[in-house]
Amino acid sequence: MKSRFMNTLFGSRRRAGIVVLLWIVLVGALASIAPALEDVENNAGANDPPASSESVQAAELAAREFPRNEGTPAIVVVRGADRAETSAAVDRITASIDGARVDNPSIAAVVTADSPGGVDLRTADDDSEMVVVSLTGDPTDESFQDTVGTLRDLVGEAAGPADAAVTGPAGIATDTVKVFSSGDKILLLGTILLVAIILLVIYRSPVLVVVALAGVGVAMRLAETVGAMMADAGWFDVSSQTASIMTVLLFGVGTDYALIVTARYREALAEEPDRSAAMMRALRGVSEAILSSVSTIVLAMLALLAAISPALRGFGPYLALGVASMGLVAFTFTPALMLLFGGKLFWPSTTRAASSRVGGKVWERVADLVDRSPKTVLVSTLLGLLVMTAGLAGYRESFDFISGFRIDTQSESGQNMIADAFGPGEIAPSTVYVTTPPGTPPPDWNQITSRLSDVDGVARVGERPEVGAGGTTAAFQIVFTDNPYSPEALDRVDTLAAAAQSAAADAGIADAQVLVGGESAHAADIRSALDRDNWVVAALVLVIVAAVLALLLRSVLAPLYLIGTLVLSFTATLGLTTFVTVTVLGDAGIGNRVAVYIFVFLVALGVDYTIFLMSRYRQELSTHPPRAALRVALTRSGGVISSAGLILAATFAVLTTQPIRELFQFGLAMAIGILLDTFVVRPLLVPAIMRLLGDRALWPSVVETRAKPVMAPSHV
């Protein structure tokens, strides 16, 4: 930052007041013209595969060839004590639904076991039945969710003594919206309360707490208003999950930046009594580190644009906007507000007392340990991280979204009823579509049915295929013997397609087009896209981080060993998270996008503390030899890094209160990873490596030091 620019902003208390006022006016003006963020949120594509995927093509083909099947099905499952009770309950339920169709045109069709083609909707013992209700409209619209609510009320009243639940795609979509919305207020209030308490303990000043939270509030409002306008204009999508993570991200990053600025401001006040001059001195000291931090996080978020999975592509831009907003606030609004409070900033302490709180005995002892026994520190920390990494032995991914609800939902209860009565495969049947070229004589579809029935893992194939409106496409309904979201079911999608293609060729159909649709194919395409994206995004993020570190440190060697520590921190975090959530808590698996989210966030945020430490180390090299510079950097930055890490970990830990598996696992993993970075990797592992490398730690940079004696521990 240029001195003239800083003097314009912070040269006096009056100028600082103008900066604060301009920010308030700007945020207020944007809020008055921007739409509400929740009004432009789009959750429809949050769990979709790429648009070019075969399952998407299959859905488009089904809409063209089988228009009468359009709509989102709600599946009513009914189970009575015996055949008579079930039958009576189904009769009452269907009568109630038919009566409601008069006033609710969204209920398009009702199919029962007695309808044509409905033979598979009743169990052999007649104790359980399913009723399929097709609903029109967008599942993300409130009117659609109201229709599902009405349907559930009707079913509940008409079921009588029988057990009944509304599940299926319509029920799942409705429950998903409710589950996400139920945690929003708890998340925001919990984050504010937790951060305020931790800041109060660290700062011992309620004024500084207000300053830090005010900065976060301004940045959040700026990001929300600008993000809402950009989403409304179609620049990118914002989902409920992205908005939730934005909340904790800004609270964590924003308070981190406030801590960094405050720590340097207190140091500057010890040598410069003029507050404006001290603030400008502090900002010059931290500007490079904060700018590198903001750049790294923003670029890492934007790296998600290289993904082909809609959920990943839509995740980055809004979060990048939020961190950029927070960086701008940290350089302008927060320092100006600090100056505006003047001598009352550290109340009830005094400015003199606050400026004397630099360094700390704990971090002097840590520096002593690393300086005295770097090999022991290096080996012990590496062993500890490798032990945590061993938890990856139990790693598996889950594509069963409904199993990720951490609260009871009617859609999950209904699915369990279907699995118990009809078999797990009936939860979500697959459909194989075979399309013959124009002019081809009608084939023997039974030959294809027979071949599909022989595929391992197929429980049954529909009695006869349904032929589309054009007469060239046949739809074969397939029910698996196992959970349609299991890895085995997902692997079976390609086997089904190959079997249908081979059978069509044997039946004399040349160049038949085969597509597999349904939930298993949908999940398989998501898995395929994520397998590709995980490697691409990870490689791109590591390149970005390495480039930023190389520019900041003017070194080729340092980025290599620092990247190595980041990767090891990630594997240890994912291993421990897997052990806790899957092995101990019994989750079906790690959410399919959780690993890449952890990697991107942990690397981008974890490197922040590396930047703060290494930037201070480079600055101290101008007046100290490497060994002493490392001691000073570790002692002076240790306290602020540990405080920042505690706050950042605590804010992400708030996500564990959310009723969604993915957010719970992500929040837990981020808390674990940040604490590892804060108390193991940055203060122990990285300094131990640097201590052993000595003058070569920043190779090929040459250390130029204005001679000073090596500082004794008691003087640091």
Side-chain angles (χ1 to χ4, degrees):
M1 297 174 68
K2 299 293 184 180
S3 297
R4 183 177 299 177
F5 175 72
M6 285 196 294
N7 187 61
T8 301
L9 298 180
F10 314 117
S12 67
R13 190 174 180 183
R14 179 174 176 273
R15 293 179 181 179
I18 293 174
V19 171
V20 172
L21 180 62
L22 288 175
W23 265 110
I24 294 173
V25 171
L26 173 63
V27 171
L30 288 173
S32 66
I33 61 175
L37 185 63
E38 55 268 21
D39 292 340
V40 297
E41 285 180 353
N42 179 16
N43 297 304
N47 295 291
D48 285 345
S52 59
S53 299
E54 289 194 4
S55 61
V56 176
Q57 297 177 36
E60 294 171 349
L61 175 65
R64 291 195 308 269
E65 292 291 326
F66 308 96
R68 60 186 176 280
N69 294 338
E70 283 189 299
T72 305
I75 300 176
V76 182
V77 56
V78 183
R79 181 176 59 204
D82 51 35
R83 174 179 181 178
E85 186 174 284
T86 300
S87 180
V90 169
D91 289 343
R92 291 192 300 269
I93 289 170
T94 53
S96 295
I97 296 174
D98 285 335
R101 292 177 65 183
V102 177
D103 299 321
N104 194 335
S106 297
I107 303 176
V110 180
V111 178
T112 69
D114 296 323
S115 303
V119 64
D120 297 319
L121 298 179
R122 180 183 290 135
T123 57
D125 58 11
D126 295 338
D127 282 349
S128 298
E129 286 191 34
M130 289 187 289
V131 178
V132 180
V133 183
S134 294
L135 305 179
T136 58
D138 186 343
T140 62
D141 288 344
E142 187 175 350
S143 59
F144 184 94
Q145 295 153 28
D146 290 341
T147 299
V148 174
T150 300
L151 181 62
R152 283 176 167 166
D153 291 339
L154 292 172
V155 170
E157 293 173 2
D163 294 328
V166 177
T167 183
I172 294 172
T174 299
D175 285 340
T176 300
V177 173
K178 289 182 178 179
V179 168
F180 270 103
S181 61
S182 66
D184 288 346
K185 292 181 180 178
I186 296 175
L187 178 68
L188 180 59
L189 294 176
T191 304
I192 293 174
L193 181 61
L194 185 61
V195 170
I197 292 173
I198 297 176
L199 284 175
L200 194 58
V201 171
I202 294 171
Y203 280 145
R204 288 171 271 178
S205 166
V207 178
L208 277 170
V209 174
V210 170
V211 169
L213 292 180
V216 173
V218 168
M220 184 175 294
R221 199 70 187 117
L222 176 65
E224 285 179 349
T225 52
V226 175
M229 289 189 288
M230 296 175 75
D232 193 41
W235 289 28
F236 53 75
D237 289 331
V238 178
S239 68
S240 298
Q241 188 169 345
T242 307
S244 296
I245 293 176
M246 169 72 95
T247 299
V248 297
L249 177 64
L250 287 192
F251 270 95
V253 171
T255 49
D256 277 8
Y257 292 161
L259 281 168
I260 299 298
V261 173
T262 302
R264 274 302 182 95
Y265 182 43
R266 290 195 308 197
E267 284 188 41
L269 285 172
E271 300 178 16
E272 176 57 71
D274 180 83
R275 294 190 184 91
S276 293
M279 179 58 75
M280 288 187 282
R281 180 174 179 173
L283 289 176
R284 281 193 292 270
V286 301
S287 60
E288 187 177 45
I290 292 181
L291 184 60
S292 297
S293 167
V294 172
S295 300
T296 303
I297 300 174
V298 168
L299 290 173
M301 295 299 108
L302 293 179
L304 291 170
L305 291 174
I308 59 175
S309 305
L312 293 185
R313 284 185 59 84
F315 202 68
Y318 182 53
L319 297 177
L321 173 64
V323 174
S325 300
M326 192 68 252
L328 187 59
V329 167
F331 277 127
T332 55
F333 177 83
T334 300
L337 192 57
M338 288 182 179
L339 289 176
L340 197 59
F341 276 104
K344 296 182 177 63
L345 181 65
F346 301 103
W347 181 86
S349 183
T350 63
T351 302
R352 181 182 296 276
S355 63
S356 67
R357 292 201 296 266
V358 177
K361 296 295 183 182
V362 172
W363 294 102
E364 287 183 8
R365 288 195 286 270
V366 172
D368 286 343
L369 175 63
V370 174
D371 186 66
R372 183 177 61 252
S373 308
K375 289 184 180 179
T376 302
V377 171
L378 177 63
V379 172
S380 59
T381 52
L382 285 176
L383 285 176
L385 293 172
L386 289 174
V387 168
M388 296 179 194
T389 300
L392 289 174
Y395 180 83
R396 60 178 180 270
E397 292 181 345
S398 173
F399 289 83
D400 188 352
F401 183 73
I402 194 172
S403 72
F405 295 155
R406 302 185 72 84
I407 58 175
D408 293 334
T409 61
Q410 192 172 145
S411 53
E412 184 176 17
S413 299
Q415 283 207 358
N416 291 336
M417 290 171 63
I418 293 173
D420 291 341
F422 294 87
E426 296 286 354
I427 293 173
S430 296
T431 305
V432 176
Y433 298 96
V434 179
T435 303
T436 62
T440 302
D444 180 6
W445 298 118
N446 291 330
Q447 188 170 347
I448 298 176
T449 299
S450 176
R451 190 72 62 87
L452 291 174
S453 300
D454 292 337
V455 173
D456 288 341
V458 171
R460 65 175 180 83
V461 180
E463 186 175 350
R464 60 175 61 86
E466 185 177 6
V467 180
T472 59
T473 299
F476 301 81
Q477 189 178 68
I478 312 293
V479 175
F480 295 149
T481 58
D482 49 13
N483 188 319
Y485 299 99
S486 66
E488 294 77 14
L490 271 55
D491 293 340
R492 198 175 295 125
V493 170
D494 286 341
T495 304
L496 282 177
Q501 193 77 56
S502 175
D506 291 345
I509 307 172
D511 301 322
Q513 180 193 40
V514 176
L515 295 171
V516 181
E519 292 297 306
S520 297
H522 184 92
D525 284 338
I526 292 176
R527 184 178 66 173
S528 178
L530 286 173
D531 286 345
R532 176 263 184 198
D533 289 343
N534 289 346
W535 290 105
V536 171
V537 171
L540 191 54
V541 168
L542 290 179
V543 168
I544 289 169
V545 170
V548 171
L549 288 173
L551 291 173
L552 174 68
L553 303 175
R554 284 76 163 171
S555 169
V556 173
L557 178 61
L560 297 180
Y561 63 77
L562 293 176
I563 287 291
T565 64
L566 289 170
V567 172
L568 183 56
S569 178
F570 162 73
T571 59
T573 297
L574 188 57
L576 185 54
T577 302
T578 300
F579 177 77
V580 172
T581 60
V582 177
T583 306
V584 177
L585 297 181
D587 281 355
I590 298 295
N592 54 77
R593 296 189 301 271
V594 170
V596 68
Y597 287 165
I598 295 171
F599 183 86
V600 172
F601 276 83
L602 195 57
V603 169
L605 296 174
V607 79
D608 271 9
Y609 302 140
T610 299
I611 287 172
F612 297 148
L613 173 65
M614 300 298 288
S615 176
R616 187 62 184 259
Y617 173 66
R618 278 193 69 252
Q619 292 175 11
E620 296 299 333
L621 282 174
S622 64
T623 54
H624 299 89
R627 187 170 175 178
L630 180 60
R631 289 182 49 79
V632 174
L634 185 54
T635 303
R636 292 294 179 90
S637 66
V640 68
I641 288 178
S642 62
S643 299
L646 279 173
I647 292 176
L648 191 59
T651 55
F652 275 102
V654 175
L655 285 173
T656 61
T657 65
Q658 297 300 283
I660 298 100
R661 175 186 58 204
E662 279 71 15
L663 288 179
F664 175 87
Q665 293 176 343
F666 176 64
L668 177 64
M670 289 303 299
I672 291 172
I674 290 166
L675 290 176
L676 283 178
D677 262 339
T678 303
F679 293 103
V680 178
V681 177
R682 284 334 119 201
L684 296 173
L685 180 58
V686 170
I689 295 172
M690 295 170 64
R691 169 72 176 80
L692 291 171
L693 289 173
D695 294 349
R696 300 183 300 278
L698 295 182
W699 183 88
S701 291
V702 178
V703 176
E704 297 181 1
T705 308
R706 292 194 290 272
K708 266 194 176 185
V710 175
M711 301 177 67
S714 59
H715 296 155
V716 177

